[in-house]
Each structure stands twice: as structure tokens, then as C-alpha cells.
Amino acid sequence: LKQHHRRRPGDPHFAGRLLSFEGLAAAMPPRNVAGNVARAGAMEDYDTQQVLQLSRRQMLRRDADLEMKNTKYNMSKLQESWLKIMRSAKTKTLKKQVEIISQNHERDVDRRDAILQMLDRDLDEAEEQHQVAVRSHLLNVDRLLEIQQSRLLALEDDFNKDVQTL
């Protein structure tokens, strides 16, 4: 394996030439294999934690979205139930008001019926009184006519007597 490295000032091993892997290994300090393995394990743990965090975030977002959806649904159900309760209460109130208004109307109708019956009786009595007065008037006129007729006959008899006396 050949690698190209940058020049590092003051470093005779890296004087800008290509080195072989063996030459590089000889120039490098001995490897810390245990440290590299530990670092690789730590990096894998970090990667695993990152993946877990990402999946937790996605799961929390899904849960939050589901919760929002459920909240909206439950709010609509709650509002619907509340509206049913309020409609029921309003219906009861309106039915009571209608019953009260109906009773007042029935009382007014009964009172007016009683007034109409009373006025009808008064009218019947007034008509009866009028008929009595008309009959009485006609009887009086008939008597007056009889009196007038008898006076006229008496005057005519007096006149005839006076004519015969003359």
C-alpha cells in the first residue's frame, strides 16, 4: 500500500516522497491496537446512540402527531357532547316557557270566553227588555188610539146632536 503524504517541515521521513507501507510502518511509532479497538468501540457506541436518538425522536414525533390527532378528535367529541347537553338544557327551558305561555294563553282564552258569554247574556237581556218595551209601547199606542177613537166618536155624536138641534 502506497500513500502520498503532505510535506511536514522538519520531518525527514516525509520529505515529499511516496513511501511504502513497510517504510511507513518503520517510520511510525508502534501502534496502540487496544486504544484503536477501544476508540472504534466508542465510535460504534456513539453511532448506535445517534441511531437510537434519531429513532426516539421519530417515535416521539409520531407520538406527538398521534396525540395531536387524538386531542383534536377528543375535543370534537367533547364539544359535540357539550353541545348535546346544552341543547337538552335549552330544550327543557324552552319547553317550560312554552308550557307557561300556553297556560297563560288558555287563561286568557277562558277569561275572554267568560266575557263573551257575559256580553251575550247582557245582549239577550237587553233584547228582551227592548221587546218588552216595544210591546208595552204598542199597547200604550193601541190604548191611546182607542181613547182617541172614543173621543172622536163622542165629538162626532155631539156634533150630530148639535146639527140636529139646529
Side-chain angles (χ1 to χ4, degrees):
L1 177 69
K2 292 188 177 183
Q3 297 179 354
H4 181 281
H5 294 281
R6 287 186 319 177
R7 286 185 177 193
R8 293 187 185 154
D11 192 355
H13 297 288
F14 299 103
R17 58 186 177 204
L18 293 177
L19 297 175
S20 67
F21 184 69
E22 290 86 21
L24 183 62
M28 291 182 63
R31 288 188 187 182
N32 183 359
V33 175
N36 287 344
V37 170
R39 212 177 314 147
M43 288 171 62
E44 283 182 26
D45 288 345
Y46 179 76
D47 289 344
T48 305
Q49 287 176 359
Q50 289 295 325
V51 169
L52 283 174
Q53 266 187 342
L54 184 61
S55 68
R56 284 185 197 137
R57 279 188 190 135
Q58 290 174 346
M59 186 175 71
L60 287 174
R61 282 189 186 122
R62 278 194 311 266
D63 288 349
D65 290 343
L66 179 64
E67 189 64 29
M68 286 300 291
K69 181 181 151 193
N70 288 340
T71 299
K72 284 181 183 178
Y73 177 76
N74 288 336
M75 283 301 286
S76 69
K77 284 293 192 184
L78 184 64
Q79 189 172 12
E80 184 180 327
S81 297
W82 185 243
L83 285 175
K84 283 182 184 177
I85 291 168
M86 290 175 64
R87 276 189 209 113
S88 174
K90 187 66 172 181
T91 302
K92 287 179 185 176
T93 304
L94 289 175
K95 283 182 180 179
K96 286 179 184 177
Q97 288 177 351
V98 165
E99 184 64 31
I100 290 169
I101 290 170
S102 174
Q103 289 173 356
N104 288 340
H105 176 70
E106 286 298 320
R107 275 195 297 265
D108 285 345
V109 167
D110 290 343
R111 184 175 51 82
R112 288 183 179 156
D113 279 347
I115 290 171
L116 285 174
Q117 288 174 358
M118 184 179 68
L119 290 174
D120 190 41
R121 275 188 306 228
D122 289 348
L123 186 62
D124 287 343
E125 288 175 9
E127 193 174 321
E128 188 177 323
Q129 286 177 356
H130 175 69
Q131 290 298 328
V132 167
V134 166
R135 273 188 251 123
S136 172
H137 175 69
L138 289 176
L139 287 173
N140 287 336
V141 167
D142 284 345
R143 276 193 226 130
L144 286 173
L145 281 174
E146 286 176 10
I147 293 171
Q148 185 64 23
Q149 196 68 23
S150 68
R151 285 179 66 200
L152 192 59
L153 281 175
L155 281 175
E156 193 176 335
D157 282 341
D158 282 343
F159 176 72
N160 284 335
K161 282 183 192 175
D162 285 339
V163 166
Q164 280 191 358
T165 334
L166 274 169

